[in-house]
Amino acid sequence: MAAGLVRREWSSVELTEAALKRIARLDRSLNCFITLDADKALADARRADQALAMDRATPLTGIPLAHKDIFCIEGWRTTCASRMLADFVAPYTATAVARLQEAGTVTLGKLNMDEFAMGSSTETSFFGHTANPWALDRTPGGSSGGSAACVAAGLTAAATGTDTGGSIRQPAAFCGVTGLKPTYGRVSRYGMIAFASSLDQAGVLAGSVEDAALVLACMAGLDPSDATSSEHRDPWLEAVPRAGVGTLADGPLTVGLAKEFFKAIVAGGERIDEVRRTLERLGFRCLDLSLPHIAAAMPAYYVIAGAEASTNLSRYDGVRFGHRCAAPQSLADLYERSRGEGFGAEVKRRILTGTYALSAGYFDAYYLRAQKIRRLIAQDFAEAFKQADLLLAPTAPGTAFRRGQLTDDPVAMYQQDACTIPVNLAGLPALSLPCGLADGLPVGAQLIANHFDEERLLKTGAALQQATDWHERRPNLGWAEAA
Ligand code: GLN
């Protein structure tokens, strides 16, 4: 798209109109968008066309994007897929999105997700579920399911997402697109509605590693408005808009495979074996190793994330913003009914378990113990990175499950995150790469790197995508003609 813009083969207005047309045709069945604003998008596109005409363009100028509805954008309704924020118009813009807008991208709209990013299927949204473009009766994964389905169906070339426990990588795997969760601190969390602040990280879903890197380069960097955003400078990442991802220069790398990750697999294991063979063919050394504590990651995560969510979500009390119940009789009644009506069942479950884990008498047994497990898991990874430069794992235990299949079993839903959550607890960067199909549905392979080593992570991902064409497979959209 960018090359065509520079060569004047098409304008940003034309790209935007084409995207709007495709969305009109496909999104009735998919439900990726919570909010779409053609007027605002076309105004962005006209501005981008002016910048292009004056040769003031970045590689992203004029490219239509869409953003997970967890990012505040000034003047845009920002719902987090909750009834609580169904009418909330953000008064300011998240830094990650502001940087993309300053680079000249077009904002088409806001994408569906699990309510407050809690879930693995995009079924808990107040605005209805999103369908997987590979099979409409399957979930797209979650919580960034709207972003994954949007990219898989070719509605946008890339979309933002957030990953607290796997919410970029697992939907990317389910929809056959590339998903990048950066190192914690790489991208500012300012203006991203908080779920679990010690884990939340913004990232991107795209059609390729090259595209994901381009978007990351734009979003990343220190932000004084987020005290946990990192000062780490990365000359390689800063050069990506000019030089691309580039190739590995520092000799053969070692890729570790931890046996504990592979215990979780229920489908698609032979695809990960194939990735291993491809890496070996490309000259990587593969090494079996162990991360002994990661089986405890899931319970530790659901204590820590719940605890942080219960405090973060206490701000929704019906007083300053968000849903307010009708005719409150007292302050307690205002709180109780506003929260009771505004939050869905899964969000309430997190608030209840999180509050319990933090309460006097239980704090040591749950929250403190979970923090100790978190430390052990981080140490496991630190040991592993003494032996290996990168780790290879499945992204999810299986392929996209059917809508409704796990909705009555929260723990089975949480087990979806078995392979992604350890990475968040340790704050590491990771990629999910499409690596072929199992029973006609996409499988994702996960590459994990050490802190701030996005360079080797993305260069390795790009090397795999140069050697294979798994990432170019797109779903058959025959259902669109039938509809
Ligand atoms: N599925 C996980 C959860 O429900 C991860 C969510 C996320 O990464 N935002 O907490």
Side-chain angles (χ1 to χ4, degrees), residues 184-255:
Y184 183 83
R186 175 71 89 174
V187 179
S188 168
R189 292 182 297 107
Y190 180 73
M192 211 172 94
I193 294 174
F195 163 12
S197 307
S198 77
L199 299 157
D200 294 344
Q201 182 59 195
V204 54
L205 298 94
S208 67
V209 170
E210 288 282 348
D211 284 357
L214 210 51
V215 175
L216 175 68
C218 185
M219 292 165 87
L222 181 66
D223 175 13
S225 302
D226 172 7
T228 62
S229 82
S230 171
E231 292 175 353
H232 184 95
R233 292 281 306 267
D234 188 333
W236 165 78
L237 187 60
E238 286 163 25
V240 161
R242 293 186 306 282
V245 170
T247 50
L248 288 157
D250 49 356
L253 297 184
T254 303
V255 177

Side-chain angles (χ1 to χ4, degrees), residues 42 92 201 300 321 364:
L42 287 165
Y92 66 104
Q201 182 59 195
F321 55 84
D364 287 2

Side-chain angles (χ1 to χ4, degrees), residues 68 70 113-121 142-144 162-171 195-196 199-201 301-302 305-306 346 350 413-414 416-417 420-421 424:
K68 186 177 184 179
I70 198 168
M113 53 185 280
D114 281 297
E115 184 182 4
F116 282 102
M118 297 170 191
S120 305
S121 66
S143 65
S144 311
T162 60
D163 195 313
T164 303
S167 280
I168 289 174
R169 289 161 288 156
Q170 182 256 19
F195 163 12
L199 299 157
D200 294 344
Q201 182 59 195
Y301 168 88
Y302 278 93
E346 182 58 30
R350 306 292 177 107
M413 189 71 88
Y414 299 167
Q416 279 304 310
D417 313 326
T420 45
I421 274 174
N424 300 79

Side-chain angles (χ1 to χ4, degrees), residues 1-12 15 48-49 51-53 55-63:
M1 282 186 192
L5 284 169
V6 170
R7 290 196 299 261
R8 307 284 189 266
E9 280 167 34
W10 45 66
S11 65
S12 176
L15 285 179
D49 282 332
L52 282 152
D55 283 326
R56 280 213 314 253
T58 76
L60 289 175
T61 302
I63 306 294

